[in-house]
Amino acid sequence: PSTDLFQTMLNGLQSSLDLSPCRTVIFVDQNPDKPHVSAEYHQRIQDLAAPHGFEVMTGMGCGLRHAFLTMARTVDTPYYMLIEHDWMFSKPNALAPILEAMEEHPDRIHNVRFNQRPNTVAGYDRELKPLSPGRGLPLLLTTQWSNNPHIGRTSVLREQWIPRIEADTIFAPHAA
């Protein structure tokens, strides 16, 4: 498979976020039916990631769920950031104020999602309430989860979300 989309996302990520203080790990899900293609693709991803100091981990799994669970079990920091390969940031975003707000409000802010549309009730975003933690962050409180790019609190991910994901019977045939 082509790595053009990944290269575009990586370039956009570098110009939109200051990741220098962060350990950055890229999870690649290998297709068990095409190990030779997956190995070649993985090597190209490694070659693109290495100049940025990014680590690459490979799993043999079943798509996003497996990669997400692998990330959740592997991360060793208080926070994680999930970005899929086809997401592009349209403007610069500062991570420091987000992490500071999460530190100041450990009982209220567990996940900060970068939305792809206006912050209005639509689609899966049904429950939205303004949340003003300060620092000029336009946050909304929601009970919905999304695989949009987001920064999350690792402890909440492990204690609340992993058990739900693992218990979801829709994925039972594809256990991670």
Side-chain angles (χ1 to χ4, degrees):
S2 171
T3 54
D4 291 348
L5 184 59
F6 177 79
Q7 179 67 60
T8 301
M9 182 277 302
L10 192 61
N11 291 342
L13 183 63
Q14 291 287 198
S15 65
S16 300
L17 298 171
D18 177 15
L19 296 175
S20 58
C22 304
R23 175 182 178 218
T24 304
V25 181
I26 298 167
F27 292 88
V28 179
D29 186 49
Q30 284 191 318
N31 182 339
D33 298 327
K34 298 180 180 177
H36 63 287
V37 172
S38 294
E40 180 184 322
Y41 180 75
H42 175 83
Q43 186 59 54
R44 289 199 314 265
I45 294 292
Q46 277 189 314
D47 293 344
L48 291 170
H52 303 284
F54 296 169
E55 301 171 49
V56 178
M57 297 181 101
T58 303
M60 192 68 74
C62 302
L64 178 60
R65 177 179 184 264
H66 175 79
F68 185 78
L69 289 173
T70 301
M71 177 276 302
R73 293 178 181 125
T74 306
V75 68
D76 60 0
T77 57
Y79 304 101
Y80 68 91
M81 184 172 188
L82 175 77
I83 305 171
E84 289 188 47
H85 72 283
D86 57 352
W87 280 89
M88 307 303 160
F89 283 92
S90 59
K91 61 183 180 181
N93 291 273
L95 297 181
I98 295 170
L99 295 174
E100 289 166 6
M102 292 178 81
E103 283 290 317
E104 290 172 9
H105 302 280
D107 56 331
R108 294 179 62 203
I109 304 175
H110 303 296
N111 183 297
V112 175
R113 176 176 39 169
F114 298 91
N115 213 350
Q116 63 180 337
R117 60 182 171 272
N119 288 326
T120 58
V121 175
Y124 291 104
D125 295 327
R126 294 184 191 97
E127 301 174 41
L128 302 175
K129 298 176 186 170
L131 178 68
S132 299
R135 302 197 179 282
L137 298 173
L139 299 181
L140 295 173
L141 180 66
T142 180
T143 58
Q144 309 305 121
W145 187 88
S146 169
N147 63 333
N148 283 25
H150 65 274
I151 297 172
R153 189 177 304 279
T154 304
S155 61
V156 172
L157 172 70
R158 289 186 176 146
E159 294 164 14
Q160 296 179 23
W161 287 106
I162 288 178
R164 291 177 186 171
I165 293 168
E166 291 176 329
D168 192 334
T169 57
I170 195 167
F171 296 110
H174 307 288

